[in-house]
Amino acid sequence: MVIIMNKGAGEEEIAAVSLEVRNRGFGVHRSDGAEQTVLGIAGEVLGIDPRTFESLPGVQEVVLLTEPYKLASLGFRRKRSVIRVGEIEIGGPEVVIMAGPCTIEGEEQLYRSAESVAKAGARILRGGAFKPRTSPYSFQGPGIAGLELLRRVGDEMGMATISEVMEAGQIEPMLPFVDILQVGTRNMQNYNLLAALGKVNRPVLLKRGMSATVQEWLLAAEYIMAGGNHDVILCERGIRTFETSLRNTLDLSAVPMVQSLSHLPVIVDPSHATGRRDMVTPLARAAVAVGADGLLIEVHHDPDAARCDGPQSLRPAEFASLMGELRLIVQAVGRRVSEESAASLP
């Protein structure tokens, strides 16, 4: 249920309605649009007569939402959300590119990869410090020491940072180093982690579970938003199907589908979708064409020597070429992408 306030409703009327909602045992989530304020009612509202709130001063109408996700729905926020990370806006006119190695291996590896993607136009540096690996014998990442390096290299390159968080206890130690906390596909339904992320003032990138429906994905976002953190970015990274020729099946139809249901920005990860380097560029082009708000791409200066996901990582020259192609595609869909740095690639 959402309460739509009149265009001229003042702060006193909004506060009075919010207090009435809380007095009845519900939580309130406020969304301020350009002209109107919408109050989302958190909690089970079956049996509550909408007229209870419609008669209050300043209320235009009360709308019962049929979707199980309330705060993530277009009914709660009719204007598309723009998630701000410093000067970067995800969900706005720019298609934001996040790029870097799958896992932070060392200073030279991260610096060289970061330098190449920054020069090509990437705005956000990715790098894993805590890696959920299928095998317990695989490289698990460098931990906090890697995040310190990520922060230092990101600052030097003028880039924001993103890295995966695997459990609630890692959140606080990561905050000084990471601008966007990433939830991987294996943790999309880790509800304790999602609830903890709802209590922090930091954008969260939520990857779709490998077997999750769109509704389950949006309900996972709802867990974060219900805790008070509305800065959620959705990431389509491929789902598990009967197809065996690729690691996953990239569901590009999920991008416009989610945009018809939710106000949250949606980006695409073409690297994890297939696990094949030769597929990354065509899928990245297609993702931008269908309306993705950004891309999350793995780039390594020497992928043949990478300790994690080398076969799906682009080389710097391949990433620069992709960025050039994206600059042509964004014009056709009314978007833009960052320009290449004047400095030449190494």
PDB file of all heavy atoms in Angstrom, residues 132-140 186:
ATOM      1  N   PRO A 132      33.851 -16.143  -3.425  1.00  0.00           N
ATOM      2  CA  PRO A 132      33.182 -17.423  -3.184  1.00  0.00           C
ATOM      3  C   PRO A 132      33.499 -18.392  -4.315  1.00  0.00           C
ATOM      4  O   PRO A 132      32.968 -18.268  -5.422  1.00  0.00           O
ATOM      5  CB  PRO A 132      31.699 -17.030  -3.180  1.00  0.00           C
ATOM      6  CG  PRO A 132      31.622 -15.838  -4.087  1.00  0.00           C
ATOM      7  CD  PRO A 132      32.936 -15.121  -3.959  1.00  0.00           C
ATOM      8  N   ARG A 133      34.358 -19.335  -4.083  1.00  0.00           N
ATOM      9  CA  ARG A 133      34.788 -20.253  -5.134  1.00  0.00           C
ATOM     10  C   ARG A 133      34.144 -21.611  -4.944  1.00  0.00           C
ATOM     11  O   ARG A 133      33.935 -22.077  -3.818  1.00  0.00           O
ATOM     12  CB  ARG A 133      36.318 -20.403  -5.127  1.00  0.00           C
ATOM     13  CG  ARG A 133      37.077 -19.090  -5.232  1.00  0.00           C
ATOM     14  CD  ARG A 133      36.776 -18.327  -6.522  1.00  0.00           C
ATOM     15  NE  ARG A 133      37.135 -19.097  -7.708  1.00  0.00           N
ATOM     16  CZ  ARG A 133      38.366 -19.182  -8.206  1.00  0.00           C
ATOM     17  NH1 ARG A 133      39.363 -18.540  -7.614  1.00  0.00           N
ATOM     18  NH2 ARG A 133      38.610 -19.894  -9.283  1.00  0.00           N
ATOM     19  N   THR A 134      33.843 -22.264  -6.042  1.00  0.00           N
ATOM     20  CA  THR A 134      33.205 -23.581  -5.986  1.00  0.00           C
ATOM     21  C   THR A 134      34.103 -24.595  -5.290  1.00  0.00           C
ATOM     22  O   THR A 134      33.643 -25.431  -4.515  1.00  0.00           O
ATOM     23  CB  THR A 134      32.863 -24.055  -7.404  1.00  0.00           C
ATOM     24  OG1 THR A 134      31.993 -23.097  -8.024  1.00  0.00           O
ATOM     25  CG2 THR A 134      32.172 -25.407  -7.365  1.00  0.00           C
ATOM     26  N   SER A 135      35.397 -24.518  -5.567  1.00  0.00           N
ATOM     27  CA  SER A 135      36.346 -25.428  -4.931  1.00  0.00           C
ATOM     28  C   SER A 135      37.011 -24.752  -3.739  1.00  0.00           C
ATOM     29  O   SER A 135      37.454 -23.602  -3.835  1.00  0.00           O
ATOM     30  CB  SER A 135      37.435 -25.857  -5.930  1.00  0.00           C
ATOM     31  OG  SER A 135      38.483 -26.543  -5.260  1.00  0.00           O
ATOM     32  N   PRO A 136      37.120 -25.455  -2.598  1.00  0.00           N
ATOM     33  CA  PRO A 136      37.795 -24.859  -1.428  1.00  0.00           C
ATOM     34  C   PRO A 136      39.289 -24.684  -1.645  1.00  0.00           C
ATOM     35  O   PRO A 136      39.953 -24.013  -0.850  1.00  0.00           O
ATOM     36  CB  PRO A 136      37.507 -25.866  -0.310  1.00  0.00           C
ATOM     37  CG  PRO A 136      37.301 -27.163  -1.013  1.00  0.00           C
ATOM     38  CD  PRO A 136      36.632 -26.813  -2.313  1.00  0.00           C
ATOM     39  N   TYR A 137      39.840 -25.275  -2.712  1.00  0.00           N
ATOM     40  CA  TYR A 137      41.271 -25.192  -2.970  1.00  0.00           C
ATOM     41  C   TYR A 137      41.618 -24.048  -3.929  1.00  0.00           C
ATOM     42  O   TYR A 137      42.787 -23.780  -4.172  1.00  0.00           O
ATOM     43  CB  TYR A 137      41.770 -26.519  -3.546  1.00  0.00           C
ATOM     44  CG  TYR A 137      41.388 -27.699  -2.676  1.00  0.00           C
ATOM     45  CD1 TYR A 137      40.461 -28.634  -3.129  1.00  0.00           C
ATOM     46  CD2 TYR A 137      41.927 -27.852  -1.395  1.00  0.00           C
ATOM     47  CE1 TYR A 137      40.082 -29.697  -2.327  1.00  0.00           C
ATOM     48  CE2 TYR A 137      41.550 -28.918  -0.583  1.00  0.00           C
ATOM     49  CZ  TYR A 137      40.631 -29.841  -1.055  1.00  0.00           C
ATOM     50  OH  TYR A 137      40.249 -30.891  -0.269  1.00  0.00           O
ATOM     51  N   SER A 138      40.603 -23.379  -4.467  1.00  0.00           N
ATOM     52  CA  SER A 138      40.838 -22.259  -5.374  1.00  0.00           C
ATOM     53  C   SER A 138      41.212 -21.008  -4.583  1.00  0.00           C
ATOM     54  O   SER A 138      40.904 -20.873  -3.399  1.00  0.00           O
ATOM     55  CB  SER A 138      39.590 -21.987  -6.219  1.00  0.00           C
ATOM     56  OG  SER A 138      39.253 -23.101  -7.009  1.00  0.00           O
ATOM     57  N   PHE A 139      41.851 -20.069  -5.267  1.00  0.00           N
ATOM     58  CA  PHE A 139      42.264 -18.806  -4.656  1.00  0.00           C
ATOM     59  C   PHE A 139      41.036 -18.060  -4.140  1.00  0.00           C
ATOM     60  O   PHE A 139      40.099 -17.806  -4.885  1.00  0.00           O
ATOM     61  CB  PHE A 139      43.004 -17.980  -5.703  1.00  0.00           C
ATOM     62  CG  PHE A 139      43.473 -16.641  -5.212  1.00  0.00           C
ATOM     63  CD1 PHE A 139      44.234 -16.516  -4.051  1.00  0.00           C
ATOM     64  CD2 PHE A 139      43.172 -15.484  -5.922  1.00  0.00           C
ATOM     65  CE1 PHE A 139      44.677 -15.275  -3.613  1.00  0.00           C
ATOM     66  CE2 PHE A 139      43.607 -14.241  -5.493  1.00  0.00           C
ATOM     67  CZ  PHE A 139      44.361 -14.136  -4.336  1.00  0.00           C
ATOM     68  N   GLN A 140      41.037 -17.695  -2.871  1.00  0.00           N
ATOM     69  CA  GLN A 140      39.875 -17.100  -2.227  1.00  0.00           C
ATOM     70  C   GLN A 140      39.943 -15.570  -2.142  1.00  0.00           C
ATOM     71  O   GLN A 140      39.028 -14.939  -1.607  1.00  0.00           O
ATOM     72  CB  GLN A 140      39.725 -17.660  -0.805  1.00  0.00           C
ATOM     73  CG  GLN A 140      39.660 -19.179  -0.745  1.00  0.00           C
ATOM     74  CD  GLN A 140      38.378 -19.747  -1.341  1.00  0.00           C
ATOM     75  OE1 GLN A 140      37.301 -19.232  -1.086  1.00  0.00           O
ATOM     76  NE2 GLN A 140      38.513 -20.803  -2.135  1.00  0.00           N
ATOM     77  N   ARG A 186      25.364 -16.170  -5.545  1.00  0.00           N
ATOM     78  CA  ARG A 186      25.166 -17.174  -4.501  1.00  0.00           C
ATOM     79  C   ARG A 186      24.528 -16.600  -3.243  1.00  0.00           C
ATOM     80  O   ARG A 186      23.960 -17.321  -2.439  1.00  0.00           O
ATOM     81  CB  ARG A 186      26.510 -17.828  -4.138  1.00  0.00           C
ATOM     82  CG  ARG A 186      27.104 -18.724  -5.221  1.00  0.00           C
ATOM     83  CD  ARG A 186      28.486 -19.207  -4.795  1.00  0.00           C
ATOM     84  NE  ARG A 186      29.052 -20.178  -5.726  1.00  0.00           N
ATOM     85  CZ  ARG A 186      29.733 -19.846  -6.826  1.00  0.00           C
ATOM     86  NH1 ARG A 186      29.919 -18.570  -7.116  1.00  0.00           N
ATOM     87  NH2 ARG A 186      30.223 -20.772  -7.618  1.00  0.00           N
TER      88      ARG A 186
END
